[in-house]
Short mmCIF file of all heavy atoms in Angstrom, two decimals:
data_model
loop_
_atom_site.label_atom_id
_atom_site.label_comp_id
_atom_site.label_asym_id
_atom_site.label_seq_id
_atom_site.Cartn_x
_atom_site.Cartn_y
_atom_site.Cartn_z
N MET A 1347 7.95 -9.90 -26.63
CA MET A 1347 6.52 -9.68 -27.12
C MET A 1347 5.52 -10.25 -26.17
O MET A 1347 5.78 -11.46 -25.74
CB MET A 1347 6.36 -10.25 -28.57
CG MET A 1347 5.06 -9.98 -29.18
SD MET A 1347 4.85 -10.69 -30.86
CE MET A 1347 5.16 -12.38 -30.54
N GLY A 1348 4.58 -9.64 -25.76
CA GLY A 1348 3.56 -10.09 -24.85
C GLY A 1348 3.80 -9.58 -23.45
O GLY A 1348 2.95 -9.76 -22.58
N SER A 1349 4.94 -8.92 -23.19
CA SER A 1349 5.19 -8.35 -21.87
C SER A 1349 4.14 -7.21 -21.62
O SER A 1349 3.63 -6.59 -22.54
CB SER A 1349 6.58 -7.77 -21.78
OG SER A 1349 7.54 -8.82 -21.82
N THR A 1350 3.74 -6.97 -20.35
CA THR A 1350 2.77 -6.04 -20.11
C THR A 1350 3.22 -4.88 -19.18
O THR A 1350 4.13 -5.05 -18.47
CB THR A 1350 1.48 -6.72 -19.50
OG1 THR A 1350 1.94 -7.35 -18.32
CG2 THR A 1350 0.86 -7.64 -20.54
N ALA A 1351 2.37 -3.73 -19.23
CA ALA A 1351 2.65 -2.65 -18.40
C ALA A 1351 1.29 -2.14 -17.88
O ALA A 1351 0.46 -1.87 -18.72
CB ALA A 1351 3.41 -1.45 -19.06
N PHE A 1352 1.17 -1.94 -16.58
CA PHE A 1352 -0.06 -1.34 -16.02
C PHE A 1352 0.13 0.04 -15.67
O PHE A 1352 1.19 0.44 -15.15
CB PHE A 1352 -0.48 -2.12 -14.73
CG PHE A 1352 -1.67 -1.41 -14.04
CD1 PHE A 1352 -2.96 -1.59 -14.55
CD2 PHE A 1352 -1.46 -0.70 -12.93
CE1 PHE A 1352 -3.98 -1.01 -13.93
CE2 PHE A 1352 -2.53 -0.07 -12.26
CZ PHE A 1352 -3.80 -0.20 -12.83
N CYS A 1353 -0.68 0.91 -16.20
CA CYS A 1353 -0.54 2.39 -16.02
C CYS A 1353 -1.52 2.79 -14.88
O CYS A 1353 -2.69 2.70 -15.03
CB CYS A 1353 -0.89 3.11 -17.30
SG CYS A 1353 -0.77 4.91 -17.17
N ILE A 1354 -0.96 3.43 -13.84
CA ILE A 1354 -1.71 3.89 -12.74
C ILE A 1354 -2.64 5.08 -13.11
O ILE A 1354 -3.82 5.12 -12.73
CB ILE A 1354 -0.75 4.21 -11.49
CG1 ILE A 1354 -0.16 3.03 -11.02
CG2 ILE A 1354 -1.58 4.89 -10.41
CD1 ILE A 1354 1.03 3.25 -10.08
N GLU A 1355 -2.10 5.99 -13.94
CA GLU A 1355 -2.82 7.19 -14.30
C GLU A 1355 -4.24 6.92 -14.90
O GLU A 1355 -5.21 7.57 -14.58
CB GLU A 1355 -2.06 8.01 -15.30
CG GLU A 1355 -2.69 9.17 -15.84
CD GLU A 1355 -1.86 9.89 -16.96
OE1 GLU A 1355 -1.44 9.26 -17.90
OE2 GLU A 1355 -1.58 11.03 -16.67
N ASN A 1356 -4.40 5.87 -15.75
CA ASN A 1356 -5.62 5.70 -16.43
C ASN A 1356 -6.15 4.22 -16.22
O ASN A 1356 -7.05 3.87 -16.85
CB ASN A 1356 -5.62 6.00 -17.94
CG ASN A 1356 -4.47 5.09 -18.64
OD1 ASN A 1356 -3.96 4.23 -18.04
ND2 ASN A 1356 -4.31 5.39 -19.95
N SER A 1357 -5.46 3.47 -15.39
CA SER A 1357 -5.85 2.06 -15.03
C SER A 1357 -5.91 1.26 -16.32
O SER A 1357 -6.80 0.30 -16.40
CB SER A 1357 -7.08 2.04 -14.37
OG SER A 1357 -7.04 2.69 -13.17
N SER A 1358 -5.08 1.44 -17.24
CA SER A 1358 -4.99 0.70 -18.49
C SER A 1358 -3.82 -0.27 -18.55
O SER A 1358 -2.84 -0.07 -17.80
CB SER A 1358 -4.85 1.63 -19.72
OG SER A 1358 -6.08 2.39 -19.89
N VAL A 1359 -3.90 -1.26 -19.28
CA VAL A 1359 -2.92 -2.25 -19.47
C VAL A 1359 -2.38 -2.12 -20.93
O VAL A 1359 -3.08 -2.08 -21.85
CB VAL A 1359 -3.32 -3.68 -19.16
CG1 VAL A 1359 -2.20 -4.75 -19.49
CG2 VAL A 1359 -3.77 -3.77 -17.76
#
Side-chain angles (χ1 to χ4, degrees):
M1347 183 178 62
S1349 294
T1350 57
F1352 174 76
C1353 179
I1354 295 170
E1355 176 182 57
N1356 62 3
S1357 298
S1358 293
V1359 177

